[in-house]
Amino acid sequence: MIALLTKISGLTLARLLGALVTFAITIVIARQFGTDELAIYAVCISVANLAAVAIPLGLQSLAPVEIAKMSAFPDRSAIRDFISHGRRVIARSFLVTTLLALLFAAAVFLTGKASEYTAPAVIAVMALAPIMALNQLHGGVLIGLQKPFSGQLADGLVKPLVTLAVLLAAVAAFQDRSMAAILLAIGLGAVAAMAIQVRTLKPQMAGPTKTHAPNAGTRRDWSRRSRSWLGITLCWDYQIEILLLACALIAAPLEIALLHVCFRIRVLIGFGIRALYVVLQPKIFQACAKGDRTRTKRLIGRLNGVATAYIAASIAALLVAAEHVLGLFNPDFSAYGNLLLVICSAAVLRAIFGPSITVLASHERQGEILALLAVGVASSVALAFVLYPLIGVLGIAVAYCASVMMAAVGMWLLAKLRCDTDTAIWANSLV
């Protein structure tokens, strides 16, 4: 347990540092570029993130599961084939994405429907999304190889550090406060992260070995199985981006900027739990693959115990500091501490019901996971459109939290019924 906590603490600390650097980027944009530019940045980064998720067609999410299983056997060739296949899929998908982005831009400008978000968002998709897609694919492979530091830190720490350095240089040395400077900084940070990941994966791309893992899976099988993972990733990890883009149609730029800041803090709160998943999820996959129910329950109990302590401490800190933290970005934001608390309470709900998505994924229940999550995302958008006219931006936060609760409860019930595994915090020993 001590070794586990040490590894998780180190990874969480590094990701926390990366998140603080990301906050510094947001503060620089808000203070130096203005709230309107922060709103455009929020839309651009959301669109680029969603495109980056779509381009690998779900292979980045399949990678931790598949690579973890492959790594249980001495089969370097299968791992190398998976990486090569993923890179080829990204190259082909990028061409299609670029064409669609250009057609969209042409249609919008020709019909006179363009807004201040249109041109920067299209540029972000074409210039940033393919590099970010490679970051995600390589990170997923490294997590599956149980190299969480290599898999997470390039994207989670190096990328924001380089982005911040380039952004500060643009402002200080060249007095450049354009959206082009922001997009260039993000792009250079993503390239730096990709270079580190490629170097780390170089040994895996060496010549094939003679041994082969049983049931290694063909490239066609990988593509078939990854389709569900594409939808799962969009609905699970990028629900925030989908909701933010939808709300950009009804909310003012100041409110979009406020939501972006609150959701980034929500992501920061989730880093500790994400680090825990990065360390323990491959082990749970391996235990499930071997049918070791005792080890599976023990690992779930460890995950729940650490996650509960961490999230309790995080929410307690927010109760004291929420208004002050929001005030760093814009003095007007400090009046919305309750909004931040509502959004971050979603992390509590996910922690209570445990790693049900991991158990369901290990039992090949991706279709059921996707159906639940898709309903949750659709419900959050619909409920946000209903509540926003009634209670303003707080309605968007309530809609998000309600959808997360529905998905968490649904997957917990599915794991009990389909996999005979109760993942909730009350069902497992927290040691």
Side-chain angles (χ1 to χ4, degrees), residues 289-330:
K290 295 177 180 178
D292 190 342
R293 291 182 60 83
T294 301
R295 178 170 169 78
T296 299
K297 286 184 65 66
R298 184 167 65 250
L299 289 169
I300 291 173
R302 288 183 182 179
L303 191 153
N304 286 344
V306 179
T308 301
Y310 168 80
I311 199 64
S314 299
I315 296 298
L318 273 184
L319 285 170
V320 176
E323 295 179 0
H324 302 290
V325 171
L326 289 176
L328 293 174
F329 300 89
N330 188 315

Side-chain angles (χ1 to χ4, degrees), residues 234-414:
L234 285 170
C235 295
W236 180 259
D237 291 330
Y238 293 90
Q239 178 184 5
I240 288 172
E241 279 76 7
I242 295 172
L243 183 59
L244 191 68
L245 289 174
C247 292
L249 299 174
I250 57 174
L254 180 66
E255 293 173 323
I256 294 299
L258 171 63
L259 285 169
H260 172 75
V261 170
C262 290
F263 281 133
R264 289 312 102 194
I265 296 173
R266 160 66 185 91
V267 172
L268 170 62
I269 294 297
F271 276 163
I273 297 178
R274 184 178 292 271
L276 181 61
Y277 271 71
V278 166
V279 174
L280 286 180
Q281 194 173 48
K283 299 179 186 296
I284 294 174
F285 283 137
Q286 288 183 346
C288 289
K290 295 177 180 178
D292 190 342
R293 291 182 60 83
T294 301
R295 178 170 169 78
T296 299
K297 286 184 65 66
R298 184 167 65 250
L299 289 169
I300 291 173
R302 288 183 182 179
L303 191 153
N304 286 344
V306 179
T308 301
Y310 168 80
I311 199 64
S314 299
I315 296 298
L318 273 184
L319 285 170
V320 176
E323 295 179 0
H324 302 290
V325 171
L326 289 176
L328 293 174
F329 300 89
N330 188 315
D332 294 336
F333 289 177
S334 59
Y336 292 92
N338 59 337
L339 176 73
L340 178 60
L341 288 170
V342 171
I343 288 175
C344 291
S345 65
V348 179
L349 297 171
R350 285 185 174 176
I352 287 174
F353 291 99
S356 53
I357 191 170
T358 301
V359 173
L360 288 167
S362 68
H363 288 79
E364 303 291 338
R365 296 287 181 176
Q366 291 93 325
E368 294 169 332
I369 296 172
L370 177 57
L372 260 177
L373 294 180
V375 171
V377 172
S379 299
S380 70
V381 174
L383 191 58
F385 275 70
V386 171
L387 293 179
Y388 178 77
L390 301 176
I391 55 177
V393 71
L394 183 61
I396 298 173
V398 172
Y400 168 71
C401 194
S403 68
V404 169
M405 180 177 67
M406 184 185 72
V409 173
M411 283 189 291
W412 166 67
L413 286 172
L414 271 179

Side-chain angles (χ1 to χ4, degrees), residues 12 15 21 49 62 69 83 95 102 120 126 161 192 204 210 258 263 288 311 319 385 402 427:
T12 302
R15 290 300 301 269
V21 175
N49 278 332
L62 179 64
K69 293 177 180 178
I83 297 170
L95 295 177
L102 291 174
M126 294 190 297
L161 281 173
Q204 299 297 331
K210 294 182 179 180
L258 171 63
F263 281 133
C288 289
I311 199 64
L319 285 170
F385 275 70

